[in-house]
Amino acid sequence: MVQTDRCKRPLDLEKPEGNGSLDVDCRPSILLNFALALQHVLVLSSLCALVVCTLIQEVERDTIVAYVLFHSGISTLLQSWIGSRLPLIQAPSLDFLIPAMALLSDQSGSAVSCRGQCVEPQEPVAPANPIRELRGMVVVAGVVQLAAGSTGLGGFALGRCGPLVLAPLLCILGFSIYKEAALLCSDHWGLAILAVVLLVILSQHLHSFLHLSVLSVCRRLSVLLSVMVTWVVCAALSHWGHVHLNSVTEMISINTNATFNQYQNSPQSIHKLIIHNGSLPWLDFPLPASSLPLLSGRSVAAGLAGGLSASMSSPAVYVLCARLLKAPVPPAHACNRGLCVDGLGSVFAGLMGAPVGLCSSASNACVIGLSQSGSRSTVQLAGVSLLILGLSPQLAQMLCSVPLAIHGAVLSVTYALAVATGITYFQHADVDSGRNIFNIGFTMFMSLALPHWFRLHSGFIQTGVGSVDVFLQSLLTLPVFLVGVLAFLLEHTVSGTLPERGLVRQEGTKKIQSFADQQQGYSHSPDPVYDPPAPVMKVLNLTGFRTVLFCACRTHTVEEVLVTEPEMSSLLPDKDTGACNG
């Protein structure tokens, strides 16, 4: 093995002994670290623009965005410190947007629900307190995530997910947002294409022309530079009157027939709000909401659906991040701690007034693949930056001014990496097996077809109980939940040999591990990247925690088996050095 400094070694060298991560524990230079953190913040703003601006159509939207950024910063810091310890950003996701839409669009008093038995059709009944019901949904979803982590269910399930479960899960995790990304891009396809082309050139093609250290830095900051350049071009075109931009609500009303829009106020452009709303304070500490979350039957049902889906997507993001870092699949204790932090973050956000929950961001995890920099200190600096932005609605308002087309381009490129990472798992199983061909095709097709059908026929589910309707409508339109359940059930019910399923039995033991981990030189044993700080380990090892709550979050000593050098190559095929110093 080449003995080099971990922060200055080439990206395609072997991993140093005792640490499977790419560069998690190293610290980039101050300026580069700040730029990488800002890059993560801009990617998170794309998810905020999609989720928050879709649900909230009020003048207070910028203040709510600030609250979401503040809680994202807190959850991000906790995740990197006592959670999974992976460099992940906590952000809103479709796992909460889809149940929220089902909650807001529940037509319990409509003619459809009457089934022809009503004398006079009633008007759709909008939620009396939509923000409070959304907050109630967030709290319930957080409790579900917390339960999945504290009981060890999340880590238990992840330890039994082989390549044929992880591959479809990661692929659908990436495909699940393609419609929303296309919707944002359709605001101005020219700007979206410009941003995508810049992203591809800066991250993949630049090394073919010149080999300079400054170009290496440009590639690591490919997302940041692409967003900034496109944003400047858009500002210039808007100033000259050549570009007219819309809000998320206007895009939805133009391109879809979403029923929840009838419960919202009249659409207003994000950019109009920036011009006319000058009353936002520069400093506003997020205080607890004056009213408690509303735990109605519908909000509880939507929260259960969102929590179940988030409890599947977050471990998938852990695997995605670990794969891009060339680290082993997270052990059970790291996955459980991560889910606990996700749940605590959602509960805290709902109680404090945020109407959307939080889970690990797949988009930000994929940025690691583009930048080839997964430093934990970068994510922690991003968390601090989110806290600062959350304290200032005026600063948070600036993120709302990023054109939707740029957000769509960022989501399109980053989520594409999730799809590609999932495809890499297929190589570890027998792809010529009839069993695997059916399982893969069936799970992926059904997880995309069923949500689309149920969105088109939203009135199909009519049980007579509004909360049950919301629960079923939410679950059946969540692609990640469907693919996780279908892939896991088929993998463990359809007979197949271990090599056929991409699994192998460790020599001299009865333990079964994924062939993907064995190829990369790891078992399911703990890795230093996942070990919590010493004070946290001491607390978790207390006698009380060994038998009661959070016992599943403790580190267990397991024998480690090293086999071969890493198989996965870098997304940046060059010989430049310095994952941390650019």
Side-chain angles (χ1 to χ4, degrees):
M1 179 182 295
V2 179
Q3 298 293 335
T4 60
D5 181 73
R6 182 175 48 184
C7 289
K8 297 182 180 180
R9 57 185 171 82
L11 294 178
D12 53 351
L13 291 181
E14 294 179 291
K15 301 180 183 70
E17 295 181 4
N19 193 344
S21 65
L22 190 65
D23 54 355
V24 172
D25 295 318
C26 72
R27 294 181 179 273
S29 62
I30 296 178
L31 291 179
L32 179 59
N33 205 16
F34 180 79
L36 291 170
L38 180 59
Q39 185 168 251
H40 277 293
V41 172
L42 287 175
V43 173
L44 182 144
S45 70
S46 298
L47 292 170
C48 280
L50 175 62
V51 178
V52 179
C53 296
T54 298
L55 296 175
I56 308 301
Q57 317 299 336
E58 303 173 356
V59 178
E60 294 83 6
R61 177 175 52 196
D62 297 312
T63 302
I64 292 178
V65 169
Y67 284 4
V68 172
L69 295 178
F70 182 81
H71 300 310
S72 296
I74 294 177
S75 298
T76 298
L77 293 175
L78 290 176
Q79 187 69 258
S80 62
W81 183 50
I82 63 175
S84 64
R85 299 279 288 164
L86 288 168
L88 292 171
I89 300 291
Q90 305 301 108
S93 72
L94 292 184
D95 300 296
F96 300 102
L97 176 60
I98 293 176
M101 292 172 64
L103 172 64
L104 296 179
S105 63
D106 179 32
Q107 301 181 10
S108 58
S110 64
V112 177
S113 63
C114 292
R115 295 176 176 270
Q117 304 299 320
C118 298
V119 178
E120 294 182 1
Q122 303 175 13
E123 291 296 327
V125 178
N129 298 282
I131 299 298
R132 290 184 61 199
E133 279 201 307
L134 289 176
R135 291 171 52 206
M137 180 201 74
V138 171
V139 171
V140 174
V143 171
V144 173
Q145 293 172 282
L146 182 60
S150 60
T151 60
L153 183 60
F156 175 84
L158 181 60
R160 283 151 184 80
C161 292
L164 292 178
V165 178
L166 296 178
L169 186 59
L170 292 178
C171 287
I172 297 302
L173 180 66
F175 282 133
S176 63
I177 205 171
Y178 76 94
K179 287 186 178 180
E180 288 75 12
L183 176 66
L184 297 180
C185 289
S186 63
D187 186 27
H188 196 287
W189 282 104
L191 294 175
I193 293 174
L194 174 62
V196 170
V197 170
L198 287 175
L199 263 169
V200 174
I201 291 177
L202 290 175
S203 64
Q204 303 299 322
H205 290 98
L206 202 59
H207 72 281
S208 302
F209 304 100
L210 296 173
H211 296 277
L212 300 175
S213 59
V214 65
L215 297 183
S216 174
V217 175
C218 290
R219 290 189 304 164
R220 299 194 188 287
L221 303 176
S222 57
V223 177
L224 176 63
L225 295 177
S226 301
V227 170
M228 290 301 182
V229 171
T230 310
W231 197 356
V232 170
V233 172
C234 177
L237 294 177
S238 299
H239 178 72
W240 293 328
H242 297 298
V243 173
H244 172 70
L245 301 176
N246 299 305
S247 68
V248 177
T249 308
E250 291 170 338
M251 295 305 302
I252 293 176
S253 63
I254 293 173
N255 293 276
T256 68
N257 294 319
T259 58
F260 72 93
N261 281 332
Q262 59 188 317
Y263 309 125
Q264 307 294 335
N265 296 333
S266 59
Q268 299 185 42
S269 172
I270 294 176
H271 305 280
K272 292 179 182 178
L273 284 176
I274 291 175
I275 295 174
H276 297 292
N277 186 7
S279 60
L280 288 177
W282 280 101
L283 184 62
D284 182 20
F285 189 83
L287 297 175
S290 57
S291 59
L292 293 175
L294 180 58
L295 296 178
S296 64
R298 296 182 304 175
S299 64
V300 171
L304 288 175
L308 289 174
S309 181
S311 298
M312 292 185 180
S313 65
S314 285
V317 175
Y318 303 159
V319 174
L320 170 65
C321 183
R323 184 77 170 176
L324 294 174
L325 288 171
K326 303 179 184 178
V329 171
H333 66 85
C335 177
N336 294 330
R337 289 198 313 273
L339 286 175
C340 286
V341 170
D342 287 350
L344 289 174
S346 295
V347 171
F348 182 72
L351 293 176
M352 293 292 288
V356 292
L358 304 172
C359 64
S360 298
S361 169
S363 184
N364 288 93
C366 291
V367 171
I368 296 174
L370 292 173
S371 65
Q372 289 294 293
S373 179
S375 174
R376 189 182 291 120
S377 64
T378 298
V379 170
Q380 292 171 342
L381 182 58
V384 175
S385 302
L386 291 172
L387 288 177
I388 297 174
L389 288 172
L391 292 175
S392 176
Q394 283 282 3
L395 293 178
Q397 194 180 61
M398 295 177 60
L399 293 179
C400 295
S401 65
V402 177
L404 299 182
I406 298 179
H407 289 315
V410 171
L411 294 178
S412 299
V413 175
T414 53
Y415 273 89
L417 265 67
V419 178
T421 305
I423 293 175
T424 62
Y425 273 98
F426 287 126
Q427 65 182 313
H428 302 294
D430 185 3
V431 293
D432 292 326
S433 167
R435 168 196 185 273
N436 295 345
I437 291 175
F438 174 81
N439 288 1
I440 294 170
F442 182 82
T443 55
M444 296 186 66
F445 183 85
M446 288 300 174
S447 61
L448 292 176
L450 287 177
H452 181 67
W453 190 90
F454 279 102
R455 288 194 189 102
L456 293 177
H457 302 81
S458 57
F460 179 80
I461 301 176
Q462 293 293 335
T463 63
V465 182
S467 57
V468 176
D469 293 345
V470 171
F471 180 72
L472 295 178
Q473 182 70 23
S474 300
L475 283 185
L476 295 175
T477 52
L478 284 166
V480 175
F481 173 81
L482 291 176
V483 73
V485 171
L486 291 176
F488 192 86
L489 289 179
L490 289 178
E491 173 69 3
H492 292 86
T493 56
V494 180
S495 60
T497 63
L498 290 180
E500 189 178 16
R501 297 163 56 188
L503 303 175
V504 62
R505 192 181 303 276
Q506 295 182 9
E507 296 182 4
T509 66
K510 296 182 179 180
K511 298 178 181 178
I512 297 176
Q513 70 174 122
S514 170
F515 188 68
D517 290 339
Q518 190 189 60
Q519 285 283 58
Q520 290 196 356
Y522 298 106
S523 67
H524 285 287
S525 61
D527 187 82
V529 70
Y530 300 114
D531 290 339
V536 178
M537 295 183 68
K538 290 181 179 179
V539 172
L540 293 177
N541 287 329
L542 294 176
T543 304
F545 287 98
R546 294 180 182 179
T547 56
V548 294
L549 195 62
F550 303 117
C551 62
C553 301
R554 294 175 55 244
T555 303
H556 300 282
T557 303
V558 183
E559 181 183 2
E560 184 174 3
V561 180
L562 294 179
V563 183
T564 58
E565 63 181 15
E567 170 269 335
M568 187 177 179
S569 61
S570 168
L571 290 175
L572 303 179
D574 66 322
K575 298 181 180 180
D576 68 314
T577 60
C580 300
N581 62 0

